[in-house]
Amino acid sequence: MNWRRGLYSLLWWAATPLIRRYLKKRARKAPAYLQHWDERFGQARQPQAAGAIWIHAVSVGETRAALPLIQAIRQRWPDAPLLLTQMTPTGRDTACQLYPDAEVRYLPYDYPGAVRDFLAVWQPRFGVLMETELWPNLLHAASQQGVPVFLANARLSEKSLRGYRRIQGLIGPALRDLTAIAAQSRQDAERLQQLGAVSPQVCGNTKYDFTPPAAMAELAAQFRQRIGSRPVFICASTRDGEEQLILQAWQQADVGNTLLVLVPRHPERFDSVAALAQDMGFAVQRRSDQQVLAAHTSVWLGDSMGELFAYYGCADVAFVGGSLLPLGGQNLIEPASLGLPVLFGPSMFNFAQASELALEAGAAWQVADAAALVQQALGLLQDEARRQQMHSAALAFTAAHRGASQRIVQLLQAHLPA
């Protein structure tokens, strides 16, 4: 073990009490964080069948983004069992919903022995890490055990590049332990090369390939029936602090009978967001009450998981959260794929290429703050012709960038035994 990875491993062991404390703290609002600790700390349970194709997707967004890639992988290797690993309870729950026939586990933290045992027990045929999951001990162990591991849908922002450069001596060897890298864009590939990646290939973004399940369209129709004919503005995947900014701007605007739909990104915040809106004087209903929306209800809280496409499907204009505050934004491709006009704030560094392409295509607008967001949303709701233009542009934008999943499968085939 080189000294950098040795020091890195010692830091993991030293941080173990802090990690356990962090999980217990998160469990106060999300009890699922206390479940399956054996998996997180390396006690790998025996699989039903060895030789699975292993996909690691850290949380909800990456797990959904993996769906079209997994479908393409299963077309190529139809008889191989599937192992899915995550790092968050919401990601794990999403995996269980989307892939009921797969084995779903937490990936152990990057302790040398834990990741060695994980790979030895599961003996995966190969692994695919989604986006930017670079775990030095895991990748070293996979290289030592002869398990091909690929980085797919790989992205690296300028901000992340600056951070990784501080530990390039640790990350560079990890990148070189990968069998191949499928980057989302040329810029992502170039940044990865600067860290030491060998010949990353530009394959595109699998998020463009995602097709919502038919059940989501049916649920969207049910939501719309509950709402009635009112205009609907959805603020989706919002993060802590954004809801208050949006609600304050909403209070100060002439919104008429427009319904504001809030869908917080993290389920442990559902109750606090509902309480916030009520304390500010809004008439609030929750999706979980299963009731028709009252005429006086001004805010509908989307307090469910796995139904984001249904919320988008019942809306007229969408805002993508994580972008009003400096958090990097969330997935704008999902609402655009349904033809929704998309609004987002100034911070979209996690989706830099997609946001730039959407703006160029006329499928999205970027706003400076919450006041501008509400003003633009209400303007669009009153301008049917403009909404229709953005609808057509959004559909064309997403259609133009499909195909990444098949390109990634071709890359896998090129580096795996026949």
Side-chain angles (χ1 to χ4, degrees), residues 53-356:
I53 293 173
W54 161 45
I55 312 289
H56 176 64
V58 62
S59 192
V60 175
E62 295 84 359
T63 303
R64 284 208 301 260
L67 180 59
L69 176 58
I70 289 173
Q71 291 171 337
I73 286 172
R74 283 185 149 175
Q75 288 175 358
R76 172 59 183 84
W77 294 279
D79 299 324
L82 181 64
L83 166 65
L84 290 172
T85 57
Q86 281 77 33
M87 299 299 286
T88 69
T90 52
R92 186 188 178 107
D93 289 346
T94 300
C96 291
Q97 292 171 19
L98 291 177
Y99 318 99
D101 60 336
E103 299 226 35
V104 179
R105 299 288 186 271
Y106 285 128
L107 183 68
Y109 293 125
D110 207 27
Y111 302 98
V115 294
R116 281 198 306 268
D117 290 348
F118 170 82
L119 293 169
V121 167
W122 286 94
Q123 301 176 31
R125 178 181 298 194
F126 63 88
V128 178
L129 311 179
M130 296 297 293
E131 302 208 359
T132 319
E133 285 292 286
L134 299 173
W135 297 105
N137 284 328
L138 174 69
L139 292 173
H140 178 75
S143 177
Q144 291 294 301
Q145 294 185 33
V147 178
V149 178
F150 301 83
L151 189 64
N153 236 34
R155 61 184 175 92
L156 189 69
S157 68
E158 282 290 348
K159 180 180 179 181
S160 295
L161 174 62
R162 290 192 295 272
Y164 278 126
R165 272 184 169 149
R166 299 189 186 101
I167 53 170
Q168 189 162 353
L170 179 66
I171 291 299
L175 284 166
R176 290 188 287 275
D177 280 331
L178 289 160
T179 304
I181 298 173
Q184 291 187 18
S185 70
R186 177 180 56 80
Q187 294 87 346
D188 292 312
E190 290 173 352
R191 292 175 193 130
L192 287 161
Q193 278 187 301
Q194 290 177 44
L195 287 178
V198 179
S199 302
Q201 302 296 304
V202 178
C203 294
N205 189 339
T206 63
K207 290 182 171 74
Y208 290 103
D209 296 337
F210 188 87
T211 301
M216 288 297 101
E218 296 171 5
L219 185 58
Q222 295 174 24
F223 285 172
R224 192 74 228 198
Q225 189 173 17
R226 287 168 66 175
I227 293 167
S229 60
R230 301 169 61 179
V232 177
F233 175 43
I234 180 172
C235 294
S237 299
T238 50
R239 304 282 292 275
D240 191 13
E242 289 188 312
E243 294 93 359
Q244 183 166 3
L245 295 174
I246 293 165
L247 290 167
Q248 287 172 341
W250 201 250
Q251 274 184 327
Q252 295 166 10
D254 181 8
V255 302
N257 69 335
T258 303
L259 179 68
L260 176 62
V261 179
L262 291 178
V263 186
R265 178 162 175 78
H266 298 115
E268 60 266 29
R269 297 184 55 247
F270 290 159
D271 290 345
S272 63
V273 173
L276 170 68
Q278 289 168 341
D279 291 345
M280 293 178 69
F282 290 98
V284 180
Q285 280 187 250
R286 299 172 70 141
R287 180 261 186 272
S288 57
D289 69 14
Q290 303 290 347
Q291 300 298 311
V292 173
L293 269 289
H296 68 277
T297 294
S298 51
V299 175
W300 193 40
L301 181 71
D303 60 343
S304 62
M305 292 297 295
E307 296 180 346
L308 187 55
F309 270 100
Y311 293 116
Y312 281 137
C314 74
D316 299 297
V317 176
F319 163 71
V320 176
S323 61
L324 285 177
L325 298 174
L327 300 168
Q330 300 296 153
N331 185 0
L332 65 101
I333 299 168
E334 291 177 337
S337 71
L338 298 179
L340 271 182
V342 178
L343 304 173
F344 50 78
S347 179
M348 286 295 288
F349 58 79
N350 287 331
F351 292 84
Q353 187 197 39
S355 59
E356 290 169 8

Side-chain angles (χ1 to χ4, degrees), residues 7-19 111:
L7 177 60
Y8 166 80
S9 299
L10 285 174
L11 290 173
W12 269 106
W13 287 111
T16 299
L18 297 176
I19 295 169
Y111 302 98

Side-chain angles (χ1 to χ4, degrees), residues 356-364 389 393-394 396-397:
E356 290 169 8
L357 292 172
L359 290 170
E360 290 172 6
Q389 288 176 357
F397 153 67

